[in-house]
Coordinates of all heavy atoms in Angstrom, one line a residue:
M258 N 34.6 -56.5 0.2 CA 34.0 -55.7 1.2 C 34.6 -54.3 1.0 O 35.8 -54.1 0.8 CB 34.4 -56.2 2.6 CG 33.9 -55.3 3.7 SD 34.4 -55.9 5.3 CE 33.2 -57.2 5.6
K259 N 33.7 -53.3 1.1 CA 34.1 -51.9 1.0 C 34.8 -51.4 2.2 O 34.5 -51.9 3.3 CB 32.9 -51.1 0.6 CG 32.3 -51.4 -0.7 CD 31.2 -50.4 -1.0 CE 30.5 -50.8 -2.3 NZ 29.4 -50.0 -2.6
R260 N 35.6 -50.5 2.1 CA 36.4 -49.9 3.2 C 35.4 -49.3 4.2 O 35.5 -49.5 5.4 CB 37.3 -48.8 2.7 CG 38.1 -48.1 3.8 CD 39.1 -47.1 3.2 NE 39.7 -46.4 4.2 CZ 39.3 -45.2 4.7 NH1 38.2 -44.7 4.2 NH2 40.0 -44.6 5.6
R261 N 34.4 -48.6 3.8 CA 33.4 -48.0 4.7 C 32.7 -49.1 5.5 O 32.5 -48.9 6.7 CB 32.4 -47.2 3.9 CG 31.4 -46.5 4.7 CD 30.5 -45.6 3.9 NE 31.4 -44.5 3.4 CZ 31.0 -43.5 2.6 NH1 29.7 -43.6 2.1 NH2 31.8 -42.6 2.2
D262 N 32.3 -50.2 4.9 CA 31.6 -51.3 5.7 C 32.6 -51.9 6.7 O 32.2 -52.2 7.8 CB 31.1 -52.4 4.7 CG 30.0 -51.8 3.8 OD1 29.3 -50.9 4.2 OD2 29.8 -52.4 2.7
F263 N 33.8 -52.1 6.3 CA 34.8 -52.6 7.2 C 35.0 -51.8 8.4 O 35.0 -52.3 9.5 CB 36.2 -52.8 6.4 CG 37.3 -53.3 7.3 CD1 37.3 -54.6 7.7 CD2 38.2 -52.4 7.7 CE1 38.4 -55.1 8.5 CE2 39.3 -52.8 8.6 CZ 39.3 -54.2 8.9
V264 N 35.1 -50.5 8.2 CA 35.3 -49.6 9.3 C 34.1 -49.6 10.3 O 34.2 -49.6 11.5 CB 35.6 -48.1 8.8 CG1 35.6 -47.1 10.0 CG2 36.9 -48.1 8.1
K265 N 32.9 -49.6 9.7 CA 31.7 -49.7 10.6 C 31.6 -51.0 11.4 O 31.4 -50.9 12.6 CB 30.4 -49.6 9.7 CG 30.1 -48.3 9.2 CD 28.8 -48.3 8.3 CE 28.5 -47.0 7.7 NZ 27.3 -47.1 6.9
K266 N 31.9 -52.1 10.8 CA 31.8 -53.4 11.5 C 32.9 -53.5 12.5 O 32.6 -54.0 13.7 CB 31.9 -54.5 10.5 CG 30.7 -54.7 9.6 CD 30.8 -55.8 8.7 CE 29.5 -55.9 7.8 NZ 29.6 -56.9 6.8
T267 N 34.1 -53.1 12.2 CA 35.2 -53.3 13.2 C 35.0 -52.3 14.4 O 35.3 -52.6 15.5 CB 36.6 -53.1 12.6 OG1 36.6 -51.8 11.9 CG2 36.9 -54.2 11.6
S268 N 34.5 -51.1 14.1 CA 34.3 -50.1 15.2 C 33.2 -50.6 16.1 O 33.3 -50.4 17.3 CB 34.0 -48.7 14.6 OG 32.8 -48.7 13.9
L269 N 32.2 -51.2 15.6 CA 31.1 -51.7 16.4 C 31.6 -52.9 17.3 O 31.3 -53.0 18.4 CB 29.9 -52.1 15.6 CG 29.1 -51.0 15.0 CD1 28.0 -51.6 14.1 CD2 28.4 -50.2 16.1
A270 N 32.4 -53.8 16.7 CA 32.9 -54.9 17.4 C 33.9 -54.5 18.5 O 33.8 -55.0 19.6 CB 33.6 -55.9 16.4
T271 N 34.7 -53.5 18.2 CA 35.7 -53.0 19.2 C 34.9 -52.3 20.3 O 35.2 -52.5 21.5 CB 36.6 -52.0 18.5 OG1 37.3 -52.7 17.4 CG2 37.7 -51.5 19.5
T272 N 33.9 -51.5 20.0 CA 33.2 -50.8 21.1 C 32.5 -51.8 22.0 O 32.4 -51.7 23.2 CB 32.1 -49.9 20.4 OG1 32.8 -49.0 19.6 CG2 31.4 -49.1 21.5
G273 N 31.9 -52.9 21.4 CA 31.2 -53.9 22.1 C 32.2 -54.6 23.0 O 31.9 -54.9 24.2
G274 N 33.4 -54.9 22.5 CA 34.4 -55.6 23.3 C 34.9 -54.8 24.5 O 35.0 -55.3 25.6
L275 N 35.1 -53.5 24.3 CA 35.5 -52.6 25.4 C 34.4 -52.5 26.4 O 34.7 -52.3 27.6 CB 35.9 -51.2 24.8 CG 37.1 -51.2 24.0 CD1 37.3 -49.8 23.4 CD2 38.3 -51.6 24.8
T276 N 33.2 -52.5 26.0 CA 32.0 -52.4 27.0 C 32.0 -53.6 27.9 O 31.8 -53.5 29.1 CB 30.7 -52.2 26.2 OG1 30.8 -51.1 25.4 CG2 29.6 -52.1 27.2
I277 N 32.2 -54.7 27.3 CA 32.2 -56.0 28.1 C 33.4 -56.0 29.1 O 33.2 -56.4 30.2 CB 32.2 -57.2 27.1 CG1 30.9 -57.3 26.4 CG2 32.5 -58.5 27.9 CD1 30.9 -58.4 25.3
L278 N 34.6 -55.5 28.6 CA 35.7 -55.5 29.5 C 35.6 -54.6 30.7 O 36.1 -54.8 31.7 CB 37.0 -55.2 28.7 CG 37.4 -56.2 27.7 CD1 38.6 -55.7 26.9 CD2 37.8 -57.5 28.4
N279 N 34.9 -53.5 30.5 CA 34.7 -52.5 31.5 C 33.5 -52.7 32.4 O 33.3 -52.0 33.3 CB 34.6 -51.1 30.9 CG 35.9 -50.6 30.4 OD1 37.0 -51.0 30.9 ND2 35.9 -49.8 29.3
F280 N 32.7 -53.7 32.1 CA 31.5 -54.0 32.9 C 31.9 -54.6 34.3 O 32.6 -55.6 34.3 CB 30.6 -55.0 32.2 CG 29.3 -55.2 32.9 CD1 28.3 -54.3 32.9 CD2 29.1 -56.4 33.5 CE1 27.1 -54.5 33.5 CE2 27.9 -56.7 34.1 CZ 26.9 -55.7 34.2
P281 N 31.5 -53.9 35.4 CA 31.9 -54.5 36.7 C 31.1 -55.7 37.0 O 29.9 -55.7 37.1 CB 31.6 -53.3 37.6 CG 30.6 -52.5 36.9 CD 30.8 -52.7 35.5
L282 N 31.8 -56.8 37.3 CA 31.0 -58.1 37.6 C 30.5 -58.1 39.0 O 29.5 -58.6 39.3 CB 32.0 -59.3 37.4 CG 32.5 -59.5 36.0 CD1 33.4 -60.6 35.9 CD2 31.3 -59.7 35.0
F283 N 31.2 -57.5 39.9 CA 30.8 -57.5 41.3 C 30.2 -56.2 41.8 O 29.7 -56.2 42.9 CB 32.0 -57.9 42.2 CG 32.6 -59.2 41.9 CD1 33.8 -59.3 41.2 CD2 31.9 -60.4 42.3 CE1 34.3 -60.6 41.0 CE2 32.5 -61.6 42.0 CZ 33.7 -61.7 41.4
G284 N 30.4 -55.1 41.1 CA 29.9 -53.8 41.5 C 30.6 -53.3 42.8 O 31.8 -53.3 42.9
K285 N 29.7 -52.9 43.7 CA 30.3 -52.4 45.0 C 31.0 -53.4 45.8 O 31.8 -53.1 46.7 CB 29.2 -51.7 45.8 CG 28.6 -50.5 45.2 CD 27.6 -49.9 46.0 CE 27.1 -48.6 45.4 NZ 26.0 -48.0 46.2
N286 N 30.7 -54.7 45.6 CA 31.2 -55.8 46.4 C 32.5 -56.4 45.8 O 32.9 -57.5 46.3 CB 30.2 -56.9 46.6 CG 29.0 -56.4 47.4 OD1 29.1 -55.5 48.3 ND2 27.8 -56.9 47.1
A287 N 33.1 -55.7 44.8 CA 34.3 -56.3 44.2 C 35.4 -56.3 45.2 O 35.6 -55.4 46.1 CB 34.7 -55.4 43.0
P288 N 36.2 -57.3 45.2 CA 37.3 -57.4 46.2 C 38.3 -56.2 46.0 O 39.0 -55.9 47.0 CB 38.0 -58.7 45.8 CG 37.0 -59.5 45.1 CD 36.1 -58.5 44.4
S289 N 38.4 -55.7 44.9 CA 39.4 -54.6 44.7 C 38.9 -53.3 45.3 O 39.6 -52.3 45.3 CB 39.6 -54.4 43.2 OG 38.4 -54.0 42.5
N290 N 37.7 -53.2 45.8 CA 37.2 -52.0 46.4 C 37.5 -51.9 47.9 O 37.2 -51.0 48.6 CB 35.7 -51.9 46.3 CG 35.3 -51.6 44.9 OD1 36.1 -51.1 44.1 ND2 34.0 -52.0 44.5
K291 N 38.2 -53.0 48.5 CA 38.5 -53.0 49.9 C 40.0 -53.0 50.1 O 40.7 -53.7 49.3 CB 37.9 -54.2 50.5 CG 38.1 -54.3 52.0 CD 37.3 -55.4 52.7 CE 38.1 -56.7 52.7 NZ 37.5 -57.8 53.5
V292 N 40.5 -52.3 51.0 CA 41.9 -52.3 51.3 C 42.1 -52.9 52.7 O 41.4 -52.6 53.7 CB 42.4 -50.8 51.4 CG1 43.9 -50.7 51.8 CG2 42.2 -50.1 50.1
V293 N 43.1 -53.8 52.8 CA 43.4 -54.5 54.0 C 44.8 -54.0 54.4 O 45.8 -54.0 53.7 CB 43.5 -56.0 53.9 CG1 43.9 -56.7 55.2 CG2 42.2 -56.6 53.4
V294 N 44.9 -53.4 55.7 CA 46.1 -52.8 56.1 C 46.7 -53.6 57.3 O 46.0 -54.3 58.0 CB 46.0 -51.3 56.5 CG1 45.6 -50.5 55.3 CG2 45.0 -51.2 57.6
A295 N 48.0 -53.4 57.5 CA 48.7 -54.0 58.7 C 49.3 -52.9 59.5 O 49.8 -51.9 58.9 CB 49.8 -55.0 58.3
I296 N 49.2 -52.9 60.8 CA 49.7 -51.9 61.7 C 50.9 -52.6 62.5 O 50.7 -53.6 63.2 CB 48.7 -51.4 62.7 CG1 47.4 -50.9 61.9 CG2 49.2 -50.3 63.5 CD1 47.6 -49.7 61.1
M297 N 52.0 -52.0 62.4 CA 53.2 -52.5 63.1 C 53.6 -51.4 64.2 O 53.8 -50.3 63.9 CB 54.4 -52.6 62.2 CG 54.1 -53.5 61.0 SD 53.8 -55.2 61.5 CE 55.4 -55.8 61.5
G298 N 53.5 -51.8 65.4 CA 53.8 -50.9 66.5 C 52.6 -50.1 66.9 O 52.1 -49.3 66.1
L299 N 52.0 -50.4 68.1 CA 50.7 -49.8 68.5 C 50.8 -48.7 69.5 O 49.8 -48.2 69.9 CB 49.8 -50.9 69.0 CG 49.5 -52.0 67.9 CD1 48.8 -53.2 68.6 CD2 48.7 -51.4 66.8
N300 N 52.0 -48.3 69.9 CA 52.1 -47.2 70.8 C 52.0 -45.9 70.0 O 52.6 -45.8 69.0 CB 53.4 -47.2 71.6 CG 53.3 -48.2 72.7 OD1 52.3 -48.4 73.4 ND2 54.5 -48.8 73.0
G301 N 51.3 -44.9 70.5 CA 51.3 -43.6 69.9 C 50.5 -43.6 68.5 O 49.3 -43.8 68.5
R302 N 51.3 -43.3 67.5 CA 50.7 -43.2 66.1 C 50.1 -44.5 65.7 O 49.1 -44.5 64.9 CB 51.7 -42.8 65.1 CG 52.1 -41.3 65.3 CD 53.1 -40.9 64.2 NE 52.3 -40.5 63.1 CZ 52.9 -39.9 62.0 NH1 54.2 -39.8 62.0 NH2 52.1 -39.5 61.0
G303 N 50.6 -45.7 66.0 CA 50.1 -46.9 65.6 C 48.7 -47.2 66.0 O 47.8 -47.6 65.3
S304 N 48.4 -46.9 67.3 CA 47.0 -47.0 67.8 C 46.1 -46.0 67.1 O 44.9 -46.3 66.9 CB 46.9 -46.9 69.3 OG 47.4 -45.7 69.7
Y305 N 46.6 -44.8 66.9 CA 45.8 -43.8 66.2 C 45.5 -44.3 64.7 O 44.3 -44.2 64.3 CB 46.5 -42.5 66.1 CG 45.8 -41.5 65.2 CD1 44.7 -40.8 65.7 CD2 46.3 -41.1 64.0 CE1 44.0 -39.9 64.9 CE2 45.7 -40.2 63.2 CZ 44.5 -39.6 63.6 OH 43.9 -38.7 62.8
H306 N 46.5 -44.8 64.1 CA 46.2 -45.4 62.7 C 45.2 -46.5 62.7 O 44.4 -46.6 61.9 CB 47.6 -45.8 62.1 CG 48.4 -44.7 61.7 ND1 49.8 -44.8 61.7 CD2 48.2 -43.5 61.2 CE1 50.3 -43.7 61.3 NE2 49.4 -42.9 61.0
A307 N 45.3 -47.4 63.7 CA 44.4 -48.5 63.8 C 43.0 -48.0 63.9 O 42.1 -48.5 63.3 CB 44.8 -49.5 64.9
S308 N 42.8 -47.1 64.8 CA 41.4 -46.6 65.0 C 40.9 -45.8 63.8 O 39.7 -45.9 63.5 CB 41.3 -45.8 66.3 OG 42.1 -44.6 66.2
S309 N 41.8 -45.0 63.2 CA 41.4 -44.2 62.0 C 41.1 -45.1 60.9 O 40.0 -44.9 60.2 CB 42.5 -43.3 61.6 OG 42.8 -42.3 62.6
F310 N 41.9 -46.1 60.6 CA 41.7 -47.0 59.5 C 40.4 -47.9 59.7 O 39.6 -48.1 58.7 CB 42.8 -47.9 59.2 CG 44.0 -47.3 58.5 CD1 45.3 -47.4 59.0 CD2 43.8 -46.5 57.3 CE1 46.3 -46.8 58.3 CE2 44.9 -46.0 56.7 CZ 46.1 -46.1 57.2
S311 N 40.2 -48.3 60.9 CA 39.0 -49.2 61.1 C 37.7 -48.4 61.0 O 36.6 -49.0 60.8 CB 39.1 -49.8 62.5 OG 39.1 -48.9 63.5
S312 N 37.8 -47.1 61.1 CA 36.5 -46.3 61.0 C 36.2 -46.0 59.6 O 35.1 -45.6 59.3 CB 36.7 -45.0 61.8 OG 37.6 -44.1 61.2
L313 N 37.1 -46.3 58.6 CA 36.8 -46.0 57.2 C 36.0 -47.2 56.6 O 36.1 -48.3 57.1 CB 38.1 -45.9 56.4 CG 39.0 -44.7 56.8 CD1 40.3 -44.7 56.1 CD2 38.2 -43.4 56.5
E314 N 35.2 -46.8 55.6 CA 34.2 -47.8 55.1 C 34.8 -49.0 54.4 O 34.4 -50.1 54.6 CB 33.3 -47.0 54.1 CG 32.1 -47.9 53.6 CD 31.2 -47.1 52.7 OE1 31.1 -45.9 52.9 OE2 30.6 -47.7 51.8
N315 N 35.7 -48.8 53.5 CA 36.3 -49.9 52.7 C 37.7 -50.3 53.1 O 38.5 -50.7 52.3 CB 36.3 -49.5 51.2 CG 34.9 -49.3 50.7 OD1 34.0 -50.0 51.1 ND2 34.7 -48.5 49.7
V316 N 38.0 -50.1 54.4 CA 39.3 -50.5 54.9 C 39.1 -51.5 56.1 O 38.3 -51.3 56.9 CB 40.0 -49.2 55.4 CG1 41.4 -49.6 56.0 CG2 40.2 -48.2 54.3
E317 N 40.0 -52.5 56.0 CA 39.9 -53.5 57.1 C 41.3 -53.5 57.7 O 42.3 -53.7 57.0 CB 39.6 -54.9 56.5 CG 39.7 -56.0 57.5 CD 39.5 -57.3 56.9 OE1 38.9 -57.4 55.8 OE2 39.9 -58.3 57.5
V318 N 41.4 -53.5 59.0 CA 42.7 -53.7 59.7 C 42.8 -55.2 59.9 O 42.2 -55.8 60.8 CB 42.8 -52.9 61.1 CG1 44.1 -53.2 61.7 CG2 42.6 -51.4 60.8
G319 N 43.6 -55.8 59.0 CA 43.7 -57.2 59.0 C 44.8 -57.8 59.9 O 44.6 -58.9 60.4
Y320 N 45.8 -57.0 60.2 CA 46.9 -57.5 61.0 C 47.5 -56.4 61.9 O 47.6 -55.2 61.5 CB 48.1 -57.9 60.1 CG 47.6 -58.9 59.0 CD1 47.3 -58.4 57.7 CD2 47.5 -60.2 59.2 CE1 46.9 -59.3 56.7 CE2 47.1 -61.1 58.3 CZ 46.8 -60.6 57.0 OH 46.4 -61.5 56.0
I321 N 47.8 -56.7 63.1 CA 48.4 -55.8 64.0 C 49.6 -56.6 64.7 O 49.5 -57.8 64.9 CB 47.5 -55.2 65.1 CG1 46.9 -56.4 66.0 CG2 46.4 -54.4 64.5 CD1 46.2 -55.9 67.2
C322 N 50.6 -55.8 65.0 CA 51.8 -56.4 65.6 C 52.4 -55.4 66.6 O 52.6 -54.3 66.2 CB 52.8 -56.8 64.5 SG 54.3 -57.5 65.1
D323 N 52.7 -55.9 67.8 CA 53.4 -55.1 68.7 C 54.1 -56.0 69.7 O 53.7 -57.1 70.0 CB 52.5 -54.2 69.5 CG 53.2 -53.1 70.2 OD1 54.0 -53.3 71.1 OD2 52.9 -51.9 69.9
V324 N 55.3 -55.6 70.2 CA 56.1 -56.5 71.1 C 55.4 -56.5 72.5 O 55.7 -57.5 73.3 CB 57.5 -56.0 71.2 CG1 58.2 -56.2 69.9 CG2 57.7 -54.6 71.6
E325 N 54.6 -55.6 72.8 CA 53.9 -55.5 74.1 C 52.5 -56.1 74.0 O 51.7 -55.6 73.2 CB 53.8 -54.1 74.6 CG 55.2 -53.4 74.9 CD 55.0 -52.0 75.3 OE1 53.9 -51.6 75.8 OE2 56.0 -51.2 75.1
D326 N 52.3 -57.2 74.6 CA 51.0 -57.9 74.6 C 49.9 -57.0 75.1 O 48.7 -57.0 74.6 CB 51.0 -59.2 75.3 CG 51.8 -60.2 74.6 OD1 52.0 -60.2 73.4 OD2 52.3 -61.2 75.3
V327 N 50.2 -56.2 76.1 CA 49.2 -55.3 76.8 C 48.6 -54.3 75.7 O 47.4 -54.1 75.6 CB 49.7 -54.6 78.0 CG1 48.8 -53.6 78.6 CG2 50.2 -55.6 79.0
Q328 N 49.5 -53.7 75.0 CA 49.1 -52.7 74.0 C 48.3 -53.4 72.9 O 47.3 -52.8 72.4 CB 50.3 -52.0 73.4 CG 50.0 -50.8 72.5 CD 49.3 -49.7 73.3 OE1 49.5 -49.6 74.5 NE2 48.6 -48.9 72.6
S329 N 48.7 -54.6 72.5 CA 47.9 -55.3 71.4 C 46.5 -55.5 71.9 O 45.5 -55.4 71.2 CB 48.6 -56.6 71.1 OG 49.8 -56.4 70.5
R330 N 46.3 -56.0 73.2 CA 45.0 -56.2 73.7 C 44.1 -54.9 73.8 O 42.9 -55.0 73.5 CB 45.1 -56.9 75.1 CG 45.5 -58.3 75.0 CD 45.4 -59.0 76.4 NE 46.4 -60.0 76.5 CZ 47.5 -60.0 77.3 NH1 47.6 -59.1 78.1 NH2 48.3 -61.0 77.2
K331 N 44.8 -53.8 74.1 CA 44.1 -52.6 74.2 C 43.5 -52.2 72.9 O 42.3 -51.8 72.8 CB 45.0 -51.4 74.7 CG 45.3 -51.4 76.1 CD 46.2 -50.3 76.5 CE 46.6 -50.3 77.9 NZ 47.6 -49.2 78.2
V332 N 44.3 -52.3 71.8 CA 43.8 -52.0 70.5 C 42.7 -52.9 70.0 O 41.7 -52.5 69.4 CB 45.0 -51.9 69.5 CG1 44.5 -51.8 68.1 CG2 45.9 -50.8 69.8
L333 N 42.9 -54.2 70.3 CA 41.8 -55.2 69.9 C 40.5 -55.0 70.6 O 39.4 -55.3 70.1 CB 42.3 -56.6 70.2 CG 43.4 -57.1 69.3 CD1 43.9 -58.5 69.7 CD2 42.9 -57.2 67.9
M334 N 40.5 -54.4 71.8 CA 39.3 -54.2 72.6 C 38.5 -53.0 72.0 O 37.3 -52.9 72.3 CB 39.6 -53.9 74.1 CG 40.3 -55.1 74.8 SD 39.3 -56.6 74.7 CE 38.1 -56.2 76.0
R335 N 39.1 -52.2 71.2 CA 38.3 -51.0 70.7 C 37.4 -51.4 69.6 O 37.4 -52.3 68.9 CB 39.3 -50.0 70.1 CG 40.1 -49.4 71.1 CD 41.0 -48.3 70.5 NE 42.0 -47.9 71.5 CZ 43.1 -47.2 71.2 NH1 43.3 -46.8 70.0 NH2 43.9 -46.8 72.2

């Protein structure tokens, strides 16, 4: 095999392999496109963070924690 033929074949094979590796299987619905956050402490900034994060498109407020049950219920009602 000539050097020139070897370079052509290996470059095509490498390019094809890289294209397959970079192809998104899930597209916009890929799990890596969503961020799940936890909010600790809901008085003041915590409730602001919860409402701000929940309004973002690819962010889910998955967990909230506060020692006051009343404050947790207030945030959950929003």
Side-chain angles (χ1 to χ4, degrees):
M258 179 181 280
K259 293 182 182 178
R260 180 178 174 268
R261 184 173 291 176
D262 294 333
F263 175 77
V264 171
K265 283 181 185 178
K266 288 180 182 178
T267 56
S268 64
L269 287 174
T271 303
T272 305
L275 291 175
T276 302
I277 290 172
L278 291 176
N279 289 330
F280 183 73
L282 296 177
F283 298 106
K285 291 182 179 180
N286 296 327
S289 61
N290 290 339
K291 182 171 90 172
V292 176
V293 180
V294 296
I296 308 292
M297 306 295 271
L299 299 171
N300 282 326
R302 287 184 88 172
S304 60
Y305 172 75
H306 286 147
S308 63
S309 296
F310 282 132
S311 64
S312 67
L313 297 174
E314 184 177 332
N315 292 329
V316 178
E317 174 186 341
V318 179
Y320 309 95
I321 60 169
C322 179
D323 198 297
V324 294
E325 298 177 21
D326 290 334
V327 175
Q328 189 64 24
S329 298
R330 286 189 209 113
K331 284 181 186 177
V332 172
L333 288 174
M334 296 303 283
R335 293 183 192 169

